[in-house]
Amino acid sequence: YKKALENHKLFKKFTDSIYTLKKVEQVTKLDVLQTLEDKEKQIDALEENEDVKTLKLKTQQLLSFVLVIFSLFSIGLIVNLYKQRKNRKEAYNLLSIEKQKAEESDRLKSAFLANMSHEIRTPMNAIMGFSNFLKNPNLEPEKRNHFIDIINISGERLMAIINDIIDISKIESNQ
């Protein structure tokens, strides 16, 4: 019995150590699998993190592009508004100059008409006045001839003034 007991203890020892080795091997295998699974999860997390970073980068690039386009559009709009303002200011200045020229022209025309009115009335008054003197039947022939000469000279002056007015109007109308 002793020998059998010793053999049984030896058998138990070897079966326990084999069993323990198998268990240790299985635990080690499970530990390696767990470690591998954890590493895969870390890789997946890093890949997701990398995807998120890539997506964020693309979003930032798109946002930057939109911002640049908007900025360029805004700058273009500001430049266009500045040019329009400058053109309006130039047009206003030209309009102001033209207004001053028109007012000056109107003033000169008024002065010209006043002067022409005087120039026309003077010979016309002479013609009318001396022609009334000619109605007098008791007028001496010498005075009558003198009055007729004055009427003729005044008529010639009036004709010259009218011709000058016509010439000036032809020059102004570029004919």
Side-chain angles (χ1 to χ4, degrees), residues 63-75:
L63 186 59
S64 297
F65 178 73
V66 168
L67 189 59
V68 167
I69 295 297
F70 180 73
S71 297
L72 289 175
F73 177 75
S74 297
I75 289 170

Side-chain angles (χ1 to χ4, degrees), residues 5-17:
L5 182 61
E6 281 180 30
N7 281 336
H8 179 58
K9 284 182 182 180
L10 188 61
F11 174 76
K12 188 87 170 147
K13 182 180 171 186
F14 283 123
T15 54
D16 281 348
S17 53

